[in-house]
Amino acid sequence: MTLEGQENRSDTSHNKSPLLSDPWKPCRRHRAVVKELLLKLRCCLGTVCGIEWYGYAALGILTAILSFLMDLSVAKLLRAHQWLYTMLEGNVLLQFFCWTLYPACICAIASSFSHNICPFSTGSGIPEVRTMLAGFEMPHYLSLTNLFSKFLGLICTLAAGSTVFLGKVGPFVHLSTMVGGYLSNLCTLIQRDKKEKAAGEMLVVSAGVGVASCFGAPIGGVLFSVEVMSSHFALRHYCPCFFSAACGALTFRLLAVWGGDGETLQALFRTNFPDALPFYPLEILLFAFLGLLCGAVSCCYLFCHRWILRFTKTNPVFAKMLTTEKGLYSGMVVFFLASLTFPHFAGQYMASKYTMKELLTSFLDSRQWTSQSHNTSEQLEPLLEWSSSGTSVYFSLVFFLLMKMWMLVLACTLPLPAGYFMPVFIYGAAIGRLIGEGAAYLSSTGVTPGQQWASVNPGGYALAGAAAFSGAVTHTLSPVLVAIELTGQFTHAVPILLATLMANALSRSGHRPSFYDALSISKRLPHLPSLKKASPQLPSTPVGQVAVKSVLLQKAAGPVEAEQAVRTSTEMQIPVVDSYESQTLLGFVLRSELLTFLRRWKTESPEKHLDEGCCIHQTSIVISPHNTVQEAHSILSLLGSQTLFVADEGKLVGLITWPEVGISPCCFLAKPLAQHLFSIH
């Protein structure tokens, strides 16, 4: 009996251990040892720095690994297509089918796969990420299914090559945000006291990491996150953003070195511009002219983009195909685009055999093409492709610009995962290359007097044009840093910045929406345009003139009053006052808690008052009716809130929401404002 009692006591003490609370599970002791080690590891790591910093490092490393695997897969698919096309040399008909059916089928598969697995995986993803960072919850856009379908769909899109002329920056920012969402959940499990901080910061950091892992450009990636993704960027996010972006960029370049793409860490598109005299002082005027030209062309491109988005939604044929037959639509459009870029047809005039990376590399070549066109014994490799048809390089560049303008606009309607930053970056490089070749030709023929134009670098103009056009399309300056980090070319920093500023000034005139703003408007997502775009007189209007009267409750309100308030009000936060006579604002009660209070009232005592059955939350910020709408707009966007209470000396005046500042509630842009922004051109 004594031995049996000792065994019972040992079993009882053994089962009291929280690590061994499930006696039916196998390997209980080994599981306990592993959990104890994990707890000790967490304590050790926590003493060095916060757990969230390990999450930031893991975010950069994981995103870089995904980027490297994607590039590796796309390179193999493109190489297979090129090998098959070369093996069919001599049979033009088979080469045509190989050239057209391969990208058409693979894009049709991408559309069908994305539509059937996760419909939210199509498109860029940046408008949706902006919506989440603005404070709106969209959990289906961060699901594991979306991550899987977007990753595979983007590989198929990029495998179509320059025929479709689409990139990966936007979707990869979305992929990085998904990874950041799961890591934030992991940090929440480890540190429950920092749930909101870890979740909020991780999503902000993810936007910059996505760009850094695509190009190996951490500084440009963080600036992109500041300009495009967040309406207000908190200073506490700078260090995590730079740390995670640096981890991502370093991992991405190390993987490239280990993969055999280089001997050491270097820029993704390494240039060999002359450092002794990169450009002459008078060339600053040409760079300014290039910026104005890129700004004018970007206005035309943005107008065409807004028009095609509106057309595909209003035309019944296109609207039906994009709703029910996405795979068929993608296959037909890509087959049409591939037919035009067939090398034995119009493709011979726009270097269609080049991939996206090879196109940008050829544009950034510092050597002059026109000076080599007459020397048949020694020609540059880029010139062999751009003048393969026997025509002038000027004709090829102009033809490339004219054709790719409307082809890119048409490709933006494809319902598949695709990025739009790299195409406009390359398109701007083509504009700069055309201007640079013209300036180099004039300097070589002696048209310009003196020795100040003895040697003009066309690659510098291509780099400036790439940053200027992409910056004008997106209304940002981050492409300047992206261009410099991509090429490692700091000698042209000043002319690149000048050209981008000039292009932005022209593109922003007239309060035209940017490319990503147009996508948000088209998808009817929350969009925060400047108040001047909505109404020039609205920013200086006092809040008291636009504040709306709200259904309110006194703290001693009964269930009947609460039920009436729920029926007549659609607000998520219902204000609570001291009494209906004084209307002194005490706080607010959540609609969900009010419904719970009513359900309890039906089963419990009916004499319970509001302040006894519900929690009255304190309002963090209350504004005066004398404040302007501009100040209310800034507070709403900064807090990520949807309601702001207006009180005069403690007395409730009303409330102001997004409709009063030009934005509709429930995650939708106001229809009149959307029509107004689309009509601006």
Side-chain angles (χ1 to χ4, degrees):
M1 294 295 293
T2 306
L3 180 61
E4 186 178 4
Q6 291 178 356
E7 290 178 354
N8 292 333
R9 284 195 300 270
S10 63
D11 291 339
T12 303
S13 61
H14 181 73
N15 291 331
K16 285 182 180 180
S17 175
L19 298 176
L20 297 174
S21 58
D22 298 326
W24 60 271
K25 291 184 178 180
C27 305
R28 291 180 297 159
R29 295 187 181 277
H30 296 87
R31 291 166 60 87
V33 172
V34 171
K35 289 183 179 180
E36 291 288 353
L37 292 177
L38 290 177
L39 290 175
K40 292 181 180 179
L41 178 62
R42 186 186 71 174
C43 295
C44 294
L45 294 177
T47 55
V48 178
C49 61
I51 297 297
E52 63 271 11
W53 287 95
Y54 298 99
Y56 299 143
L59 173 63
I61 295 172
L62 291 176
T63 307
I65 293 175
L66 288 178
S67 180
F68 178 77
L69 292 177
M70 181 177 293
D71 290 346
L72 186 63
S73 303
V74 171
K76 291 185 178 297
L77 291 173
L78 289 174
R79 197 177 302 117
H81 184 210
Q82 186 178 11
W83 173 83
L84 182 60
Y85 180 84
T86 305
M87 293 300 293
L88 297 175
E89 191 74 36
N91 194 323
V92 179
L93 182 61
L94 290 180
Q95 281 190 320
F96 173 78
F97 286 123
C98 173
W99 183 267
T100 56
L101 292 180
Y102 183 87
C105 292
I106 203 170
C107 288
I109 292 173
S111 293
S112 301
F113 180 81
S114 300
H115 176 67
N116 294 325
I117 300 299
C118 185
F120 309 111
S121 62
T122 59
S124 170
I126 285 184
E128 290 80 7
V129 176
R130 294 171 66 185
T131 300
M132 288 182 281
L133 292 180
F136 297 91
E137 293 185 2
M138 303 175 69
H140 43 277
Y141 281 95
L142 297 178
S143 63
L144 186 61
T145 306
N146 197 1
L147 174 64
F148 175 73
S149 59
K150 192 139 197 166
F151 183 79
L152 294 183
L154 185 56
I155 290 178
C156 295
T157 302
L158 298 177
S162 60
T163 297
V164 185
F165 205 59
L166 294 174
K168 75 169 189 176
V169 175
F172 211 80
V173 171
H174 193 186
L175 288 172
S176 175
T177 307
M178 297 179 203
V179 176
Y182 281 98
L183 288 176
S184 67
N185 293 335
L186 181 60
C187 292
T188 300
L189 293 175
I190 298 175
Q191 285 184 318
R192 296 184 181 275
D193 56 331
K194 296 184 178 181
K195 178 178 179 180
E196 295 182 358
K197 179 181 178 182
E201 286 191 359
M202 194 69 75
L203 294 182
V204 176
V205 170
S206 302
V209 174
V211 179
S213 299
C214 283
F215 298 138
I219 302 177
V222 174
L223 184 58
F224 178 86
S225 176
V226 173
E227 291 184 302
V228 177
M229 309 307 298
S230 305
S231 57
H232 285 80
F233 195 88
L235 291 177
R236 68 176 184 274
H237 294 158
Y238 271 109
C239 286
C241 277
F242 278 111
F243 174 71
S244 186
C247 291
L250 180 62
T251 305
F252 180 72
R253 297 311 304 153
L254 283 175
L255 290 174
V257 172
W258 294 335
D261 292 342
E263 297 181 356
T264 184
L265 298 179
Q266 59 183 3
L268 192 60
F269 295 91
R270 188 68 183 176
T271 55
N272 54 355
F273 294 173
D275 295 332
L277 190 61
F279 58 90
Y280 294 95
L282 288 180
E283 288 186 74
I284 293 292
L285 300 178
L286 274 180
F287 282 107
F289 170 75
L290 174 61
L292 294 176
L293 179 62
C294 289
V297 177
S298 70
C299 292
C300 178
Y301 170 73
L302 290 175
F303 171 78
C304 295
H305 178 250
R306 293 195 300 270
W307 178 86
I308 197 69
L309 289 178
R310 184 170 60 247
F311 176 77
T312 53
K313 288 185 176 296
T314 56
N315 186 272
V317 178
F318 280 86
K320 183 178 180 180
M321 291 191 66
L322 287 172
T323 304
T324 59
E325 301 292 341
K326 293 185 177 182
L328 178 61
Y329 176 82
S330 297
M332 292 173 57
V333 171
V334 174
F335 181 83
F336 173 68
L337 295 176
S339 301
L340 294 177
T341 59
F342 183 52
H344 293 283
F345 184 50
Q348 60 183 321
Y349 303 110
M350 45 183 172
S352 60
K353 290 185 179 180
Y354 276 165
T355 62
M356 301 280 285
K357 185 175 182 179
E358 291 171 342
L359 280 173
L360 185 57
T361 303
S362 65
F363 289 141
L364 296 178
D365 189 5
S366 61
R367 295 166 293 183
Q368 183 183 348
W369 292 353
T370 52
S371 64
Q372 299 288 332
S373 60
H374 305 290
N375 188 359
T376 57
S377 60
E378 181 183 358
Q379 284 191 342
L380 302 178
E381 182 180 353
L383 182 62
L384 293 175
E385 186 63 30
W386 283 101
S387 61
S388 59
S389 60
T391 58
S392 171
V393 293
Y394 299 108
F395 176 82
S396 298
L397 288 173
V398 172
F399 188 78
F400 176 88
L401 292 172
L402 293 177
M403 292 292 290
K404 286 297 182 181
M405 168 66 76
W406 66 268
M407 292 173 68
L408 179 56
V409 170
L410 181 60
C412 289
T413 64
L414 293 174
L416 41 74
Y420 310 111
F421 178 82
M422 198 62 180
V424 296
F425 193 84
I426 296 175
Y427 191 90
I431 298 176
R433 187 74 198 191
L434 180 62
I435 299 298
E437 285 292 336
Y441 176 76
L442 293 178
S443 65
S444 62
T445 55
V447 176
T448 55
Q451 296 295 324
Q452 289 192 346
W453 301 83
S455 59
V456 174
N457 178 13
Y461 289 88
L463 187 59
F469 186 74
S470 55
V473 168
T474 58
H475 290 183
T476 59
L477 297 178
S478 54
V480 176
L481 284 175
V482 172
I484 293 175
E485 290 181 285
L486 266 180
T487 60
Q489 198 60 55
F490 291 91
T491 56
H492 283 69
V494 174
I496 292 174
L497 180 60
L498 175 63
T500 308
L501 287 172
M502 299 296 289
N504 263 271
L506 188 58
S507 178
R508 291 171 181 262
S509 61
H511 305 298
R512 303 178 183 88
S514 68
F515 181 87
Y516 296 121
D517 292 341
L519 288 178
S520 297
I521 295 171
S522 175
K523 295 181 178 181
R524 303 186 64 81
L525 292 170
H527 169 55
L528 304 179
S530 68
L531 292 176
K532 292 183 179 179
K533 293 181 181 180
S535 176
Q537 295 80 20
L538 190 60
S540 57
T541 303
V543 171
Q545 297 182 12
V546 297
V548 295
K549 293 291 184 179
S550 172
V551 176
L552 51 88
L553 291 170
Q554 62 179 356
K555 66 177 182 179
V560 177
E561 298 173 84
E563 186 174 3
Q564 184 180 2
V566 170
R567 290 179 178 178
T568 56
S569 176
T570 58
E571 299 294 335
M572 302 304 296
Q573 300 176 359
I574 299 178
V576 179
V577 296
D578 184 36
S579 65
Y580 292 130
E581 293 77 16
S582 65
Q583 292 195 358
T584 302
L585 181 64
L586 299 180
F588 63 90
V589 61
L590 295 176
R591 185 183 184 87
S592 59
E593 296 179 357
L594 203 58
L595 292 174
T596 305
F597 166 69
L598 292 175
R599 284 194 296 267
R600 275 202 309 264
W601 166 72
K602 294 180 180 180
T603 57
E604 298 177 2
S605 175
E607 289 79 21
K608 187 174 293 185
H609 295 292
L610 179 67
D611 56 348
E612 299 174 356
C614 288
C615 176
I616 300 177
H617 301 272
Q618 298 293 327
T619 55
S620 56
I621 295 180
V622 179
I623 62 173
S624 169
H626 305 292
N627 290 108
T628 62
V629 175
Q630 178 67 57
E631 295 171 339
H633 179 276
S634 301
I635 294 174
L636 283 172
S637 56
L638 178 62
L639 297 178
S641 178
Q642 301 184 31
T643 305
L644 197 60
F645 294 105
V646 182
D648 187 10
E649 296 182 355
K651 183 178 180 180
L652 180 66
V653 176
L655 55 86
I656 185 169
T657 57
W658 286 119
E660 284 71 51
V661 296
I663 312 297
S664 66
C666 302
C667 302
F668 292 103
L669 182 68
K671 185 176 180 181
L673 178 59
Q675 294 175 349
H676 170 69
L677 291 179
F678 265 117
S679 63
I680 297 175
H681 53 82

